[in-house]
Structures are given as C-alpha cells and as structure tokens.
Amino acid sequence: MAMAKAMLSLLVHLHAALLFVPEPAGAGAVYSVVRYGARGDGASDSTRPFLRAWADACRSPRPATVYVPPGRYLLGRATFVGPCSSRAVAFSIAGTVVAPAGYAWDGATAGQWITFESVVGLTVSGGTLDGRGDALWACKKQQPRGHCPTGASSLTISNARNVVVEGVRSVSSELFHVVVLQSRGVTVRRVTVEAPADSPNTDGIHIHKSTNVAVYDAAIRTGDDCVSVGPGNSNLWIERVACGPGHGISIGSLGKQQGMAVEAVQNVTVKTTWFTGTTNGLRIKTWGNSKRGFVRGVTFSDSTMAGVGNPIIIDQHYCPDGGCGGAARGSSSGIKISEVEYADVRGSSATPVAVSFDCSRSNPCSGIRLRDVRLTYQGKSGRLQAAGAVSSCRNAQGTASGLVVPPSCL
C-alpha cells in the first residue's frame, strides 16, 4: 500500500512540474491564441480565436505551434482539423482550458469537446483541460437512465497518425478524459487524470479502433476504467500507470452491439502498473451474446495491487447495472479469449476471490498462463484474512508456473 501511494504521489508531482510550458522558441512559427483575441479571464469565449490560430498554424509550410499562454481560457466545442501543410504541428498549453459551465451546451450532446482530426505529426503538450463535469454527474446520479445527456469527452485524437500527447492534465471530464479513435502511431505520456471515484463513465484513457498506440507514465484517478481498450485495437503498449480510484485497466467491453463486424483486440502489453483501492485490477470483459470476435496475445506483467476488489478477472458475462436480465447472465459469449499471460502480479485483494476466470461456455478461454502470482486476501479493513484468497475458474484452460498464490484452478 505504501509503495503504491508513493509511486502515485511521485507521478502526480512529476506531472505538476510539467504544467508550465514556456512560449516555444526556435521551433518555427508560433501562433499565440492571445494575438487572435483570446482572453485568459475564464469568462470570455475564446473558441473563435483558438480555431483561427489553428487554421493559420495548419496552413504554415514550416513547423508551427499554437500557443496558449498562462490563464484560464473558456473554450466551446472545437474541432481542429487537418491535414496540415507541415507534419510538425504543435499545440502547446501553458494555461488552463475550461469547458462552458453546466452541461446544456452543444459539446455535451455531441460527445466531444476538444478534437484533433485527420492530423499527421501532431504534438499536444502541457496545461490543464477542465471539463467541468460536476453538473452532468449530478444529473446522472439524480435522474433515471436516459434523462441526461451522454456527455462530452475532453480530448479526442481522431483519424490521425504520428501524434504525441504529453504532460497534459485532465480534470473533471464529463465523459472520457483522453480518447484515441481510429488512429495509428499515437503516444500518450506523462498524463494526469483527476475525477472523483463516483463520477460516472469518466474513463481516463480510452483507445478504440487504433493500432500502434503507447501509454507511458500516467497517473489516473477517476470513476471508471483508468485505461479502457475497446474493439478494433492492435499493437498496444501500456507501461507505468498508477491507477486509483477507478475500475482498473480493462480490455472491453466487447460484443455489446450486434452486427456483421468482428470485434477484435490483439497484441496488447500492460507492464509495471500500480492499483490502489480500485474496483478491478487487470480485467477483460465481454457481453454474453452471439457477437463474434476475439481477444488474443495479451500480456499483463509486473503489477502491484493494494486493496483491489478483483485483481485478476475475465468476465464473459459482463452486464453492468443488471440491465441484461437474468437470462443474459447465462448466455454464451461469442468472443474468443486466448493466449493471455499474467506474470509477476502481487499484492492484496479486497475480496476473497482474487483470481476469477468466468469464460464463455461455447468459446472457453484457452492458453491462459499464470506465472509468479502472489495475492493475499486482506479485506476492506486492510487486515490479512485467515481464510486466504481463492481462485475461481469456469470454462478456462491454461497453466500455472512459479509461485502462484492463491493456488490456480486452471
């Protein structure tokens, strides 16, 4: 517990040191949003100055930077569109960019607040993005499902290539904080995410239909998955992520929507992670229906758990909020899960079942490997329980090697 907290504190302080970004020098043309009329008073709408600065930077034939000086800049829904003339375009933030107050604004229904679309060779760096999601979260907690807007993700990289997002701090996003969508060659590093544990659907980093994406050195405290891997992803590398509170690092959910497309995730590495008080640790989740797809070639290694509800879990009968009905819990998932390794996972579980493989009846999990797994049951009190942690397996096949505690049921 102490080690996980120390690592989280170290990452948070590291990111805080990166929040000040001086005006770029010697990096080609610099387009300050202030010169286009943006005001850092937190109240004046700076959407048009931001878009005009981007348009000029994007047209520049040489490397160009859009610069956001210190201050608080109110920004409505904004899509920064490429391709640009130069493949070296930067968006450098030294201040704070804030969303409109409340949730009755265009971005809340559109699903995205700040979007970079169809850009090649982009760097987004520094600063704070404040999604001001409190009002929408309150609505979702008080009103029946469907009575509130879905919300807006704070930062989306869409249909882009060779992008770096670094040193960004995202707070209080209405929906997901950082989204990588239908993109290739994206690196997200030294990012900090902050939202309350009870903020709904506020995934820290969400990756969807993308390839060759890397996440490094992230400190994520949120109300949903710290990192979520949706369908259509391949060749992902996730390393040095501190998570908590949150729902852990999740592959899925997969198979919710029926259709012709096969939902697939393959070649994913999750390495050196810390989970503190999270609902889950390392999770793969699929809905129990006939939608076809697969998850294969996944490695989880070097993970530390501190009071985690489900440290290792595969759930192929995923059904949040009981919305599927009793029959769906027994349905057989069409998503095939294979070749998944858990290596050097240690720490404490807050529940007796520290390892749970609840796999599909028609598509059993295969090639599951446990190597050097050491998990104890400490309960919510943090005290070691005499009964000890256990493993639970259903329709799972695989092997265990090295010291494996609790004893494997594979």
Side-chain angles (χ1 to χ4, degrees):
M1 177 74 77
M3 180 172 63
K5 287 185 176 179
M7 182 55 65
L8 180 60
S9 176
L10 175 62
L11 288 172
V12 169
H13 283 88
L14 173 63
H15 300 158
L18 295 171
L19 293 182
F20 177 74
V21 180
E23 183 162 356
V30 176
Y31 299 85
S32 172
V33 295
V34 172
R35 297 173 191 167
Y36 290 82
R39 299 178 62 181
D41 57 10
S44 303
D45 187 354
S46 296
T47 307
R48 291 187 65 183
F50 271 61
L51 291 172
R52 289 171 55 210
W54 170 263
D56 285 351
C58 192
R59 281 194 292 262
S60 173
R62 61 190 181 121
T65 298
V66 174
Y67 177 62
V68 182
R72 289 179 61 84
Y73 297 86
L74 178 64
L75 181 68
R77 181 188 177 200
T79 301
F80 302 101
V81 182
C84 297
S85 298
S86 169
R87 293 195 174 185
V89 180
F91 202 96
S92 178
I93 306 170
T96 298
V97 182
V98 298
Y103 58 84
W105 60 290
D106 186 47
T109 56
Q112 296 171 343
W113 173 30
I114 301 170
T115 303
F116 291 90
E117 183 174 338
S118 302
V119 185
V120 179
L122 167 72
T123 298
V124 181
S125 62
T128 296
L129 307 179
D130 185 354
R132 300 169 81 175
D134 307 64
L136 181 61
W137 305 336
C139 177
K140 289 182 175 181
K141 293 172 187 175
Q142 297 166 3
Q143 301 296 326
R145 181 182 293 273
H147 282 64
C148 303
T150 301
S153 296
S154 285
L155 174 62
T156 300
I157 306 298
S158 176
N159 192 33
R161 290 189 291 119
N162 302 334
V163 175
V164 175
V165 178
E166 62 179 349
V168 173
R169 175 175 174 254
S170 177
V171 301
S172 300
S173 180
E174 286 188 336
L175 201 62
F176 300 168
H177 287 257
V178 178
V179 176
V180 179
L181 174 64
Q182 295 178 326
S183 296
R184 177 161 54 93
V186 177
T187 298
V188 180
R189 61 192 180 208
R190 296 191 296 276
V191 165
T192 301
V193 168
E194 299 174 17
D198 61 350
S199 57
N201 304 118
T202 52
D203 291 31
I205 300 171
H206 178 69
I207 307 168
H208 196 87
K209 295 183 179 180
S210 297
T211 186
N212 296 334
V213 177
V215 176
Y216 297 101
D217 300 311
I220 302 174
R221 299 180 298 211
T222 192
D224 210 297
D225 293 329
C226 290
V227 180
S228 56
V229 176
N233 289 300
S234 62
N235 302 331
L236 308 185
W237 189 280
I238 300 166
E239 184 173 3
R240 297 187 301 276
V241 174
C243 171
H247 293 181
I249 294 178
S250 295
I251 295 176
S253 60
L254 305 180
K256 181 179 181 180
Q257 302 295 333
Q258 293 294 329
M260 297 299 293
V262 173
E263 293 192 350
V265 174
Q266 59 185 330
N267 194 14
V268 178
T269 298
V270 179
K271 180 180 181 183
T272 311
T273 49
W274 302 268
F275 301 89
T276 304
T278 53
T279 306
N280 307 286
L282 308 170
R283 176 167 64 160
I284 301 175
K285 53 180 178 175
T286 73
W287 292 73
N289 59 37
S290 59
K291 180 67 179 285
R292 295 171 56 241
F294 61 84
V295 176
R296 65 186 179 211
V298 179
T299 299
F300 298 107
S301 67
D302 186 19
S303 292
T304 302
M305 310 284 172
V308 174
N310 302 291
I312 293 175
I313 179 171
I314 294 178
D315 181 4
Q316 291 211 260
H317 302 89
Y318 179 67
C319 182
D321 304 321
C324 306
R329 283 298 306 179
S331 299
S332 185
S333 174
I335 308 294
K336 173 66 176 178
I337 297 176
S338 63
E339 304 305 317
V340 181
E341 180 177 52
Y342 303 86
D344 192 15
V345 180
R346 66 267 174 188
S348 62
S349 173
T351 60
V353 182
V355 178
S356 175
F357 299 129
D358 185 8
C359 298
S360 169
R361 182 179 66 256
S362 61
N363 293 286
C365 297
S366 62
I368 306 299
R369 297 183 297 275
L370 295 173
R371 178 165 56 86
D372 298 327
V373 174
R374 304 174 301 282
L375 294 168
T376 60
Y377 172 35
Q378 294 192 353
K380 294 182 179 180
S381 66
R383 295 180 180 179
L384 186 65
Q385 302 297 305
V390 299
S391 296
S392 174
C393 295
R394 184 166 72 160
N395 305 317
Q397 304 162 2
T399 61
S401 64
L403 178 62
V404 175
V405 179
S408 173
C409 54
L410 292 172

